[in-house]
């Protein structure tokens, strides 16, 4: 029996990235796609709790089923696992995102949150992103690397509670793969103020991400800047065990 792979994204089911990913995965397993019906970037782990969501079957053929969903990326995974997959998937894979999800961006990322949701269900999960925001970005150079990473995770598995955040540099002349830690950064100048024709002010989110330690050769931002594919293992257990130990000695 072929592996069952559940795929989603936060750019919407029509995005080039998810359709490129689907074609990369079809030689490896049976693919079920449940993805948002429109772009849902930077939604993090948001779920829909006060409104109903719906889904529509968009394509069904040998080895591939595609649904669009009105919910968030995490809604898509939850709904798929509850209603649409014939059995527990062997993998949950998200992407390919149009744009980076390295450094602290992963906290906001709908792409990475899909993989987090899969991990919460005990399914090995991977998030793939390309550092190119162009809606017509070329994902084809990623193909052999994505397939190799996916096949390796199928073979070796991942520890419960851990997932892989994989980011590809924008230029396809990859120098290799680096196993990285997440770069620590901060967003500056996040909002710009503008006015409408009727003098009503509004604010547009943007900003610049500043790497707090750009010379750290172990972090994902450094690896991407140098042309390497960055693989960052992430744990969903966010407990600070060192501080937990310290707190036990506080007089609280």
């Amino acid at each position: 029996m072929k592996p069952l792979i559940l795929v989603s994204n936060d750019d919407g089911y029509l995005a080039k990235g998810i359709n490129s990913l689907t074609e990369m995965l079809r030689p490896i397993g049976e693919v079920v796609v449940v993805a948002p019906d429109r772009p849902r970037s930077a939604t993090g782990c948001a779920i829909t709790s006060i409104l109903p969501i719906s889904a529509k079957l968009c394509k069904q053929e040998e080895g591939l089923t595609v649904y669009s969903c009105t919910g968030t990326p995490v809604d898509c995974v939850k709904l798929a696992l509850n209603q649409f997959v014939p059995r527990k998937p062997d993998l949950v894979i998200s992407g390919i995102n149009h744009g980076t999800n390295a450094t602290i961006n992963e906290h906001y990322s709908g792409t990475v949150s899909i993989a987090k949701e899969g991990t919460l269900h005990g399914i090995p999960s991977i998030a793939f992103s390309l550092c190119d925001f162009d809606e017509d970005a070329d994902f084809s150079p990623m193909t052999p690397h994505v397939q190799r990473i996916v096949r390796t995770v199928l073979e070796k598995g991942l520890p419960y509670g851990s997932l892989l955040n994989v980011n590809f540099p924008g230029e396809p002349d990859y120098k290799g793969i680096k196993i990285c830690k997440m770069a620590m950064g901060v967003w500056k100048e996040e909002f710009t103020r503008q006015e409408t024709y009727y003098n009503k002010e509004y604010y547009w989110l943007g900003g610049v991400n500043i790497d707090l330690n750009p010379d750290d050769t172990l972090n994902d931002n450094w690896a991407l800047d140098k042309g390497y594919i960055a693989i960052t293992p992430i744990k969903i257990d966010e407990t600070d065990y060192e501080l937990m130990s310290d707190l036990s000695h506080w007089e609280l």
Side-chain angles (χ1 to χ4, degrees), residues 202-222:
Y202 64 96
Y203 300 90
W204 193 262
L205 181 65
V208 178
N209 185 253
I210 306 298
D211 189 340
L212 296 179
N213 193 3
D215 297 322
D216 183 355
T217 61
L218 295 179
N219 79 40
D220 51 8
N221 204 45
W222 183 93

Side-chain angles (χ1 to χ4, degrees), residues 6-222:
L6 175 60
V7 175
S8 191
N9 75 343
D10 68 358
D11 292 313
Y13 79 105
L14 293 174
K16 186 176 180 181
I18 194 171
N19 286 283
S20 298
L21 176 62
T22 299
E23 292 307 309
M24 295 175 196
L25 298 176
R26 291 187 71 176
I28 299 174
E30 179 185 352
V31 179
V32 176
V33 176
V34 184
D37 60 350
R38 60 191 185 278
R40 292 278 196 162
S41 296
T43 52
C45 291
I47 56 175
T48 303
S49 60
I50 61 173
L51 294 171
I53 61 174
S54 61
K56 180 175 72 174
L57 178 63
C58 300
K59 180 187 291 186
Q60 191 162 35
E61 57 190 48
E62 183 75 28
L64 174 65
T65 305
V66 179
Y67 294 89
S68 67
C69 173
T70 61
T72 68
V74 171
D75 286 335
C76 292
V77 179
K78 288 181 174 292
L79 184 63
L81 294 176
N82 186 263
Q83 296 289 328
F84 296 143
V85 292
R87 62 184 189 277
K88 184 176 180 179
D90 298 281
L91 291 175
V92 170
I93 301 184
S94 60
I96 299 169
N97 191 66
H98 293 247
T100 178
N101 277 308
T103 78
I104 60 169
N105 294 324
E106 72 90 0
H107 290 292
Y108 307 103
S109 168
T111 303
V112 177
S113 295
I114 290 162
K116 288 180 178 179
E117 185 65 25
T119 303
L120 286 169
H121 288 270
I123 304 168
S125 300
I126 313 168
F128 287 107
S129 302
L130 174 65
C131 297
D132 187 341
F133 288 95
D134 190 337
E135 64 180 19
D136 194 34
D138 183 9
F139 297 94
S140 58
M142 300 173 62
T143 301
H145 306 283
V146 168
Q147 290 178 335
R148 185 169 67 251
I149 292 167
V150 168
R151 287 191 169 105
T152 302
V153 172
L154 275 172
E155 177 189 350
K156 297 184 178 295
L158 291 172
Y160 176 77
S162 297
L163 60 116
L164 300 183
N165 182 23
V166 185
N167 286 272
F168 284 71
E171 295 300 322
D173 187 20
Y174 310 131
K175 292 184 179 178
I177 290 177
K178 290 281 188 183
I179 309 303
C180 305
K181 65 180 182 180
M182 183 178 70
M184 298 307 297
V186 63
W187 282 91
K188 297 290 187 182
E189 302 170 359
E190 288 190 77
F191 289 94
T192 56
R193 179 183 176 277
Q194 299 183 30
E195 290 186 358
T196 68
Y197 180 79
Y198 298 102
N199 297 322
K200 183 177 181 180
E201 66 182 28
Y202 64 96
Y203 300 90
W204 193 262
L205 181 65
V208 178
N209 185 253
I210 306 298
D211 189 340
L212 296 179
N213 193 3
D215 297 322
D216 183 355
T217 61
L218 295 179
N219 79 40
D220 51 8
N221 204 45
W222 183 93

